[in-house]
Amino acid sequence: MEATHAQDHGHGHPTGLMRWITTTNHKDIGTLYLWFAFIMLLAGGCLALLIRAELFQPGMQVVTPEFFNQLTTLHGLIMVFGAIMPAMVGFANWQVPMMIGAPDMAFPRMNNWSFWLLPVAAIMLVSSFFVPGGASAGGWTMYPPLFLQGGISNDMTIFAVHILGISSIMGAINIVTTILNMRAPGMTMMKMPLFVWTWLITAYLLIAVMPVLAGTVTMLLTDRHFGTNFFNAAGGGDPVMFQHIFWFFGHPEVYIMILPAFGIVSQVIPAFARKPLFGYASMVYATGSIAILSFIVWAHHMFTTGMPTSAQLFFMYATMLIAVPTGVKVFNWVATMWRGSMTFETPMLFAIGFVCLFTIGGFTGLVLAITPVDIQLQDTYYVVAHFHYVLVSGSLYAIFAGVYFWLPKWTGRMYDEKLGKLHFWLSTIFFNILFFPMHFLGLAGMPRRIPDYALQFADFNALATIGAFGFGLSQLILLVVVLKCIKSGAKAADHTWEGADSLEWTHLSSPPPYHSFVTPPVVK
Amino acid sequence: MGALAALMSMAAWAEESKYNLPTPQSEVAQEIFDLHILIMWVCVGIFVVVFGAMFYSIWKHRKSVGHKAAHFHENTTVEVVWTIIPFIILTAMAIPSTKAVLNMRDASNPDITIKVTAYQWKWEYDYRTEGIKFLSTMSTPRDQIEGSAKKGDNYLLEVDNAMVVPVGKKVRLLLTANDVIHAWWVPAFGIKQDAIPGYIKDAWFIAKTPGTFRGQCAELCGKDHGFMPIVVEVKSADDYAKWVADQKAKTAAVTLDPNKTYSAGELKAQGEKVYAANCAACHQANGAGLPPAFPAITGSKIATGDKAAHIAIVMNGKPGTAMAAFGKQLNDVDLAAVVSYERNALGNKTGDLVQPADIKALRK
Amino acid sequence: MSDHQAGSYYLPEPSGWPIVGSAAVALLTSGLVMWSNHIASGGWVILAGLLVLFYMMFGWFGTVIAESESGKYDQQVDRSFRWGMSWFIFSEVMFFAAFFGALFYMRVLSVPWLGEGDTNAMLWEGFKATWPTAGPLGAENIGFGKEVAAGANQFSPMEALGIPAINTLILLTSGVTLTVAHWGLKKGNRGQLNLWLALTVLLGVVFLGLQAYEYHHAYTKMGLTLGAGAYGATFFMLTGFHGLHVTIGTIMLAVILVRCLKGHFKPESHFAFEAVSWYWHFVDVVWLGLFVFVYWL
Ligand code: HEA
Ligand code: HEA
Ligand code: CUA
Ligand SMILES: [Cu+2]
């Protein structure tokens, strides 16, 4: 991605490290976001491998129970806030201005700050492993009263979440403003590429729910140190109230991680099917409906807390409804492929993998939405399987698809197709070895967040661990592909993929100029 | 994938399968079992149809076989159809689900009510009407966990005192917790209910057959969350009555006299038991603790300093830490014994003793 | 500037301010972590963080003001600012929503639960669910307008009449004075602008003074503290965060006042003024919510 600046002016601009620290350019910042996300993916992945190593066999072998809980907690936090979300923002930075015909983001300086807050939060989180008592061990969901116990690291986690929240809100405001105000003449809302639409809606979700998360972790902080009783029955509070407020953020949060993925896939599939996206308008409406519904389903994470029966029923129905717009999306993707003229380069492989495996995750989500069934499955490995299908083979696969898809545009060079395909096939095989058995573990009764388990769960756990190491190693291929591409890839054509039709392909060179569109293109 | 899922679930028909929910032992669990099977097969069906179409297309509409792209990109009719059909399917799913929820939540007219209180990391069962109350802790020895002994059949799923219920009777559980949130879960009965500190939540089951059924705490509750099993023994009406009688007799026999003054030896002997059962999880059997999260008792300023402060922390705990208030859990004799034990064993030697009367005086 | 003037939309040069801001946030948050865990020197780290933050704000906003005054911003940039500010205010609304949510949850759900059924009978016998309350083990509510002796485990909730009502009037008035100032600006009547703006700032300061007095009184005379259970927590967190926003708003108004006195802003373009006034009206509306749900009902 170094090559972006090849033919650029940039005289008088800082170079070296200072270039990255002071940059106000959407492409530089997008690059920073993506690298940051990748590093966090490796960090979070290494924690996951430690988890899997401990779970390879029954008995305690590798870590202590306290440390195991720290690993689980930080793995969740780092993956969600450090890997997936920043990667998606990285895509938005690179692609949104190019796709709507803008010179840059609306607020370039604030854009820089949104990024440079992330390392602060990451350092805060990771360094909490080294304070007395170790890192937070209450799960990424931070439920009190457990989270009220425990030491200084919990405060570090709270503030890290605050910083991440500020960063996300600023990033989202930037994206919304860019999309609403910087479109090229003629680019009406209903002509925007679907990726732009999904990000518009995602950004709206971010602005709506990140402050709520900030609010609730603030209550945790004051309960911990300043004598308030939000989550303490003796003072009239309720520990379950935290869960309500947290999941009011938390459920939209999972769509924050998946909607941009839908967007990426909706760019990739038409390009390789050589056929326009089927049902563009209904895709837009479906995305909107998912966003709206996402605000009224949060308590499906809380079916076992003993809510009133009416609430259980309401949240069950609302949650089930989400299958309708999501189904529309899946059907539209299939219809886009239908009678196309398909080729299967790496981005397409990951996109197809996405549609297929994400749907499995969606179906298990639906199973979990059925309250009585969730009673058996809540807090088991079935849930762990569900959310890794939607997050890893969902969000992460879409990120991979997007990286392969746009790498030629970003760097001006072609990636190694053979290695890319190898990356896809190894990932997919190991992914399923890793997470498919977890469904059975959950059904058979293995709770999540435990460092040791009863003997009947041994085989599937061993299998999952093997899958985990295989999947982890496979990700190194991605690193090799990207580095090779930057260093020595063959020159890529401006319009790399013949079926792709958004502005960055049709109007810009590969790599694109420093300011994407100095004069806005006119869109017919 | 779909075919694989189908195959695996085929195997799931076998009893006590590794691939499915455990064999239901209550009506609710049965309902859940059936519901899950139903929903899963509907999903598998949809999966096969949708991805059958997709893979057909992938196979037939390849560029490499010379397929030319069509140009259609919308069709209101099919779009409406595939919005409405899923909606109808979902509505059909919602009906049995709703019935199951209503049944599951109807805890009225129980035969027996048991109050279950969760502590870090044990369960307390309080049979309100029978006047029986005991703690239930995992009984798997440490060396099995650490791998220096062979793991038993019920590794991690065995307790010292199981909960006992009669077969065929409606048992209502009243759940709460003393420190953090836990969840009482026995898959065979189809119950999972969070125990929330400060609130009582209820759940119920009717066990269909006698036997021993196992479960685990299902909400992250700290260090030993993975070591907080639940065992329920379902007995015939007669056996249950016998058990109740035994328990009552045992409680009467064991209760030590809180008005007596005990010798150092007696206190230490009793204290050692209490310590092992209640304190060793955190402060370790040898008193070394797991600093910094769990301080050592050996050489602790509190355990070797002022008696009153020592009693106070054991009785009242320390809010905001894992150190619970044991004043509510333990009786006067046990409290006196465990404090005396900590002060005169585990490498400490203060020489002073605490008597039940000292505790009683602090109770008011 | 030519090469970075892409189209007409102003694109800033690389800037060092954001990283300074990140350093400030790093200091501020680690200071807060240290301070809340009683680690010595936490307070100093917080102070350092605040200083760096102010330095950053001066520098960053100074740059923006200079760019604005030298006419680099066009209509489209102006629209960006409007969108940006609106979405920012929306995010603030959601922040308050979290705390209002907590208030409603406790009043409507959790406190009544504690007062009824098995929960009440087995765990909190004798607790009557009323509002305001500090919960079953919290201080006892002895009713409005009573003095509480020091050390007694009692509190007296805040009445709506008195200071809160006066503060409501003050904020509502300040909304009006700000609008009058805005009219002045639009008409090009700088005298009117400066006078009414100064008045608005003054009203903000008076509001804060009264609130400080109210807090002091609550802590010393009414037994009403952050620790006073559900009521105390929601009361102070809601009014406290609101007060913080009034403080920020007042400072921003003061900065705008200084700029007005220096002759900044034109009748047809003065976005900074409008942004601050939007913010001020938002703070005003939040107060109305507080007045109704925290003090009155
Ligand atoms: C990207 C993230 C993502 C996404 C997209 C989803 C999507 C969904 N999730 Fe998931 N979920 C998580 C991430 C995600 N989830 C995480 C992280 C957790 C755990 C958090 C924690 O506790 O740590 C979780 C937990 C979770 C639970 C709580 C489990 C528990 O703890 O007990 C539930 C329960 O209802 C649930 C449901 C759903 C549903 C119904 C969807 C739906 O959106 C899925 C919709 C999709 C489909 C249904 C497939 C496609 C549709 C068709 C092909 C149409 C036809 C279909 C039918 C008619 C059936 N999820
Ligand atoms: C958001 C995205 C995301 C992603 C991408 C992942 C990725 C992975 N997760 Fe996930 N996970 C979560 C989100 C995610 N997870 C969340 C939210 C939780 C809940 C936390 C909680 O309960 O609080 C969770 C919990 C969770 C658990 C349950 C823990 C428990 O309940 O105790 C497990 C257990 O197996 C697990 C495993 C894995 C594995 C093996 C991967 C793999 O996909 C990781 C693969 C990546 C790498 C391995 C790194 C790259 C490779 C290298 C650096 C090279 C070196 C590698 C080798 C030497 C082999 N995760
Ligand atoms: Cu108790 Cu988990
Ligand atoms: Cu959810």
Side-chain angles (χ1 to χ4, degrees), chain A residues 198-215:
Chain A
T198 53
W199 245 114
L200 176 65
I201 291 170
T202 305
Y204 158 73
L205 286 179
L206 275 168
I207 302 171
V209 300
M210 291 309 284
V212 175
L213 175 67

Side-chain angles (χ1 to χ4, degrees), chain A residues 184-224:
Chain A
M187 172 73 76
T188 57
M189 295 293 272
M190 288 314 267
K191 280 190 189 151
M192 298 192 311
L194 210 78
F195 177 76
V196 178
W197 258 113
T198 53
W199 245 114
L200 176 65
I201 291 170
T202 305
Y204 158 73
L205 286 179
L206 275 168
I207 302 171
V209 300
M210 291 309 284
V212 175
L213 175 67
T216 192
V217 298
T218 304
M219 293 178 212
L220 277 181
L221 184 78
T222 58
D223 263 21
R224 282 171 60 79

Side-chain angles (χ1 to χ4, degrees), chain A residues 356 360 436, chain B residues 1-9 41 44 47-48 51 55:
Chain A
C356 213
I360 296 185
F436 204 79
Chain B
M1 240 25 263
L4 184 65
L7 256 175
M8 298 271 195
S9 340
W41 281 112
V44 170
F47 191 92
V48 170
F51 289 92
F55 283 110

